[in-house]
Amino acid sequence: MPQRKGLENHTVGSGFVLLGFSDHSSLQGMCFTVFLVIYLAVLTGNSLIALITVVDSNLHSPMYFFLRNLSFLEICYTSVTLPKMLVGFLMKDGRISFLGCAAQLYFLVLFGSIECLLLAAMAYDRYTAICAPLHYSLLMSRGLCTRLMVGSWMVVVPVQVGQTYQVFTLPFCASHDIHHFFCDVPPLLELSCADTFWNHVMLYTIILAFVILPFSFIVISYIKIIRAILKIPSVLGRHKAFSTCSSHIVVVTLFYGSAIVAYLKQRSRDSVDTDKYLALFYTVVTPVFNPVIYSLRNTEVRIALKRLLWTK
């Protein structure tokens, strides 16, 4: 028992090293520039989406309420990982303190889990709008939307506090080099010299609750939505109904596709680079493309943006 305590103290003092993309040392300057531009694009694009859904009265509907929350989450999500990665590129130093790593992990899984639940709520909104249009205003009231968001935070916050505590009470007595560009559960568990069986049980339970079940709900919702759309007699009506869902489908595919593969596939030394590139999709690519996807595919958003940017 005293030995375990010593190991834990050693871990707290030394912290970790995020190796990230350090194997491409000659490209550090270019990577810094590219990811800086991406981060600024994420901040600008998602801030604009959030702003127009607040100031434009035509966008005060449940769909845009959820879109505003999604944009806020994307800003928070990328701010957990990209600034630290940019500092690493600039300083050529991937060191991160023990507490810094714990904070990064906590906020990453917190925002990621809430985004999964939010995407499921957005699917329910589209299902209600297309499959029960006469009852839409009743079923998707402002109170329900608020309760869905508040409820998501109330459920996820304590669960992810528990998972973070469980991970960071492990002794990390092997290498402290994390083969990733942010602190995540699987690579951290690989560094522990203790039995991580229950950590893996909790990890897969959380994945089931906050990833697989919401994704299954989204799939079932869209099966019913597609059936309802196919029953619409006019081609124009079918196209209009589908266009209201297409942006959400693209975002769900990008986010869930990469996240599910990254967390559920078997990890190995040969797959380290693959894991990092998959993580780029759900932590960087999806947040930067969300505003583009919603503005290009949504006429109301495009009109609201023009009013905001060109109104004197």
Side-chain angles (χ1 to χ4, degrees):
M1 196 69 179
Q3 184 182 4
R4 179 181 173 92
K5 182 177 180 181
L7 290 170
E8 291 172 346
N9 288 338
H10 175 68
T11 300
V12 174
S14 58
F16 300 95
V17 178
L18 296 170
L19 297 181
F21 300 99
S22 58
D23 48 339
H24 305 293
S25 56
S26 61
L27 302 176
Q28 297 289 299
M30 187 182 73
C31 288
F32 172 81
T33 303
V34 170
F35 283 106
L36 177 61
V37 170
I38 289 174
Y39 185 48
L40 293 175
V42 170
L43 295 180
T44 304
N46 284 285
S47 296
L48 274 174
I49 293 293
L51 179 62
I52 62 172
T53 57
V54 172
V55 301
D56 197 305
S57 59
N58 295 317
L59 302 183
H60 289 178
S61 65
M63 180 171 73
Y64 297 110
F65 168 81
F66 291 130
L67 180 57
R68 178 165 63 251
N69 280 275
L70 179 63
S71 296
F72 169 74
L73 282 175
E74 298 291 34
I75 292 172
C76 295
Y77 200 53
T78 51
S79 296
V80 172
T81 56
L82 276 182
K84 178 59 183 174
M85 186 162 62
L86 289 171
V87 171
F89 285 136
L90 190 63
M91 307 300 293
K92 296 183 179 180
D93 184 1
R95 286 178 296 179
I96 185 170
S97 68
F98 183 84
L99 292 178
C101 188
Q104 188 181 62
L105 172 66
Y106 172 70
F107 286 110
L108 182 82
V109 293
L110 172 69
F111 296 134
S113 298
I114 292 174
E115 183 164 340
C116 289
L117 297 178
L118 176 58
L119 290 172
M122 295 174 78
Y124 177 69
D125 172 71
R126 292 300 82 208
Y127 164 78
T128 307
I130 293 173
C131 298
L134 298 178
H135 303 287
Y136 178 73
S137 58
L138 179 64
L139 294 173
M140 294 303 300
S141 64
R142 180 175 295 184
L144 175 64
C145 296
T146 303
R147 287 195 295 273
L148 286 173
M149 285 309 306
V150 173
S152 297
W153 284 87
M154 290 179 67
V155 170
V156 172
V157 167
V159 171
Q160 296 300 2
V161 166
Q163 177 172 235
T164 305
Y165 176 80
Q166 188 188 44
V167 169
F168 282 91
T169 51
L170 290 169
F172 298 100
C173 50
S175 169
H176 289 189
D177 293 343
I178 300 176
H179 292 274
H180 218 308
F181 59 89
F182 58 83
C183 293
D184 200 5
V185 178
L188 281 166
L189 295 183
E190 290 177 0
L191 298 183
S192 177
C193 56
D195 182 6
T196 58
F197 173 77
W198 290 111
N199 296 85
H200 281 94
V201 169
M202 186 170 190
L203 172 63
Y204 289 120
T205 301
I206 289 173
I207 290 173
L208 174 64
F210 297 142
V211 181
I212 303 299
L213 290 181
F215 181 69
S216 300
F217 177 82
I218 292 171
V219 171
I220 293 170
S221 297
Y222 274 109
I223 289 173
K224 294 183 178 181
I225 288 171
I226 291 170
R227 286 177 179 173
I229 290 175
L230 293 176
K231 292 178 181 178
I232 298 174
S234 69
V235 175
L236 182 61
R238 289 197 297 270
H239 175 75
K240 185 177 179 181
F242 184 74
S243 66
T244 64
C245 305
S246 57
S247 300
H248 183 248
I249 293 173
V250 173
V251 171
V252 166
T253 302
L254 284 173
F255 182 78
Y256 273 102
S258 54
I260 288 175
V261 172
Y263 279 97
L264 294 185
K265 77 179 186 65
Q266 186 67 36
R267 288 180 61 86
S268 66
R269 280 289 176 186
D270 297 332
S271 70
V272 168
D273 286 338
T274 304
D275 295 337
K276 286 187 285 191
Y277 292 126
L278 283 170
L280 280 176
F281 266 91
Y282 60 85
T283 59
V284 177
V285 175
T286 303
V288 78
F289 277 112
N290 272 358
V292 178
I293 292 167
Y294 276 101
S295 60
L296 289 179
R297 302 290 302 178
N298 192 301
T299 305
E300 290 179 318
V301 171
R302 291 202 304 272
I303 293 172
L305 273 172
K306 288 177 182 178
R307 278 199 293 263
L308 177 68
L309 296 176
W310 281 281
T311 298
K312 294 182 180 180

